[in-house]
Amino acid sequence: MRLTLSSAVLSNRLLTLSKVLNSKNSLQILECILFEVNNGVLTLTASDKENEMKTQIQLDESDADGKFAISSRTIIDAVKELPEQPITLEIDMATYNVKVIYQNGDYNFTAQNADEFPQVQAIEENAATIKIGSAVLTDNITRTLFATANEEIRPVMNGIYFDLTPEALSIVASDGHKLVRNKVFSIKDENAKSFILPKKPATILKNVLAKDDSEVEIVFDNKNAKIKADFGTLTCRLIEGRYPNYSSVIPTNNPCQLTIDRRTLLGTLRRVLPFASESSQLVRLRLSMGQLEVSSEDIDFYTSAKESIVCDYASNAMSIGFKGTSLLDILNNLTSDEVILELADPSRPCIITPVEQPEGQDILMLIMPMLLND
């Protein structure tokens, strides 16, 4: 078998596929990229048994159909340093000897029989479908991923929850201490549907999806999802189980509102947090008319820090404690110039929202307070 294609295109696609691969595998064949040639089109596949990514390349030339598997490390190292040029792969399908011919030289190595390459479970015929803009999906995954948990007892908390309702598509993550809920109002369905996307495929999508207006199609059943986009397709096993009722923990009446410059509050937290207790990471927010005081202390090492910020606050004076690292994560994953903190009392959750919401969306983040020893 002989096939010719662009070295740069092959290298770029291989690097994208490599994001699926694990450093350690139960099957040796999973260290390989599957090459399938059919009617002048090369399909490349990478898998870790639970996630499978496919991408296609139109070949410049090919003289036969067939399939074989090449070590990902071997083929990626072979082409990544080549300048853009046509390269030819010659494969002896009897011995699986591969020769890669380029402008000033060639590589020789051995491929493997592709029959052992695992196939992912097919999506059921009655699967549901969601269509969403690539940039919208990328932004929502990026904004939500940090709030996922790492739990063994409740694995459903370890992924991103896609909740499609007649009102909107909600994209949710929570670790029990912080919560993110994004609503996309342009996507809705009279028949409620949902799935939980694991962290690994979510991270892959964050890194490979284009930030443009192209459309992403998500087809899912009870066990698997297939995501089709410009990069190709990503098929993944979903987290099975019932996601907790996230709406029940979101307060509907937090009367005290604080509006503040997001970057100013971020800078203050970064300066104050190093002086907090290493075990608790507790920071205290003292709210008074037009002013916010952020402070921390570590009584074991006799360290403390305090800083005041001008803000828009006209409610009752209040002191409330938060885990500083969680508050930093929330503010880092918002992009608006100003944010609103909605509070009720020092024992109830605080809602944080951007002053300017993206068009057609609603972003809400929640953080649980920590007990203050006054």
Side-chain angles (χ1 to χ4, degrees):
M1 180 192 295
R2 181 183 175 93
L3 49 112
T4 303
L5 71 165
S6 160
S7 62
V9 171
L10 177 60
S11 181
N12 288 337
R13 300 297 178 86
L14 289 171
L15 288 172
T16 299
L17 290 173
S18 68
K19 300 180 189 303
V20 175
L21 302 175
N22 291 331
S23 56
K24 295 181 179 179
N25 295 285
S26 55
L27 299 173
Q28 186 180 5
I29 194 72
L30 293 176
E31 297 174 0
C32 298
I33 305 288
L34 177 64
F35 284 64
E36 296 178 275
V37 180
N38 187 27
N39 291 328
V41 175
L42 171 62
T43 301
L44 300 170
T45 307
S47 173
D48 66 359
K49 286 188 77 174
E50 293 193 349
N51 305 285
E52 178 191 86
M53 187 185 288
K54 288 181 179 283
T55 188
Q56 292 187 326
I57 302 173
Q58 185 69 46
L59 295 170
D60 298 334
E61 295 178 24
S62 66
D63 63 0
D65 293 346
K67 62 180 182 178
F68 52 92
I70 299 179
S71 162
S72 59
R73 182 176 299 177
T74 299
I75 190 63
I76 289 172
D77 288 346
V79 300
K80 71 179 181 181
E81 297 299 337
L82 292 176
E84 163 56 15
Q85 60 184 280
I87 59 171
T88 298
L89 279 70
E90 293 182 349
I91 305 96
D92 185 330
M93 296 303 290
T95 63
Y96 288 105
N97 183 66
V98 179
K99 186 175 186 178
V100 179
I101 305 168
Y102 59 97
Q103 190 172 7
N104 298 314
D106 60 68
Y107 304 120
N108 288 275
F109 49 85
T110 304
Q112 295 185 37
N113 189 319
D115 293 340
E116 296 180 5
F117 201 87
Q119 300 295 316
V120 295
Q121 188 175 344
I123 307 288
E124 295 177 1
E125 290 186 4
N126 60 346
T129 300
I130 293 173
K131 294 183 178 179
I132 184 171
S134 184
V136 173
L137 181 57
T138 306
D139 288 344
N140 277 278
I141 288 175
T142 302
R143 194 161 42 234
T144 308
L145 200 53
F146 81 96
T148 54
N150 290 297
E151 287 198 18
E152 292 183 6
I153 298 174
R154 294 184 299 170
V156 294
M157 305 292 285
N158 299 341
I160 297 177
Y161 183 51
F162 286 71
D163 186 20
L164 184 61
T165 67
E167 179 194 18
L169 170 65
S170 294
I171 301 173
V172 182
S174 176
D175 62 2
H177 303 287
K178 54 187 179 289
L179 177 145
V180 179
R181 188 209 63 195
N182 309 284
K183 282 189 176 182
V184 184
F185 293 108
S186 60
I187 303 170
K188 56 185 96 172
D189 198 298
E190 290 303 316
N191 301 311
K193 317 175 174 71
S194 63
F195 66 91
I196 306 172
L197 184 68
K199 209 171 300 187
K200 180 173 178 178
T203 303
I204 292 170
L205 289 172
K206 170 188 168 182
N207 292 327
V208 303
L209 284 173
K211 289 192 174 183
D212 57 21
D213 295 330
S214 61
E215 187 176 75
V216 178
E217 182 181 83
I218 305 172
V219 182
F220 62 96
D221 56 25
N222 292 330
K223 293 185 177 181
N224 300 283
K226 179 179 283 188
I227 299 100
K228 304 176 185 176
D230 287 349
F231 67 83
T233 63
L234 174 65
T235 305
C236 60
R237 190 175 299 170
L238 300 173
I239 298 175
E240 296 183 51
R242 187 179 183 86
Y243 202 82
N245 182 6
Y246 61 89
S247 298
S248 65
V249 301
I250 300 174
T252 55
N253 182 26
N254 276 10
C256 304
Q257 284 201 358
L258 162 72
T259 303
I260 193 164
D261 183 84
R262 183 180 65 88
R263 292 183 182 86
T264 300
L265 181 54
L266 262 174
T268 298
L269 281 169
R270 289 192 184 114
R271 288 186 288 272
V272 169
L273 187 55
F275 296 90
S277 165
E278 192 172 333
S279 58
S280 69
Q281 299 287 297
L282 171 68
V283 295
R284 178 195 297 263
L285 274 60
R286 284 191 176 92
L287 292 81
S288 57
M289 193 73 67
Q291 190 173 54
L292 170 66
E293 181 187 277
V294 182
S295 63
S296 66
E297 66 174 344
D298 187 338
I299 58 175
D300 293 329
F301 292 94
Y302 304 101
T303 62
S304 64
K306 181 170 64 178
E307 188 171 321
S308 296
I309 318 169
V310 174
C311 64
D312 182 2
Y313 183 75
S315 298
N316 297 330
M318 184 190 308
S319 287
I320 188 167
F322 296 114
K323 187 172 183 177
T325 50
S326 295
L327 192 53
L328 271 177
D329 285 340
I330 287 174
L331 294 171
N332 276 321
N333 283 279
L334 292 168
T335 56
S336 65
D337 290 336
E338 291 187 312
V339 293
I340 300 171
L341 279 68
E342 299 179 13
L343 306 115
D345 60 58
S347 64
R348 294 178 62 189
C350 168
I351 293 174
I352 302 175
T353 57
V355 168
E356 294 183 3
Q357 296 278 5
E359 185 178 355
Q361 298 184 57
D362 181 73
I363 300 167
L364 177 148
M365 300 197 182
L366 177 148
I367 183 169
M368 299 297 294
M370 294 180 70
L371 184 65
L372 292 173
N373 295 320
D374 289 326

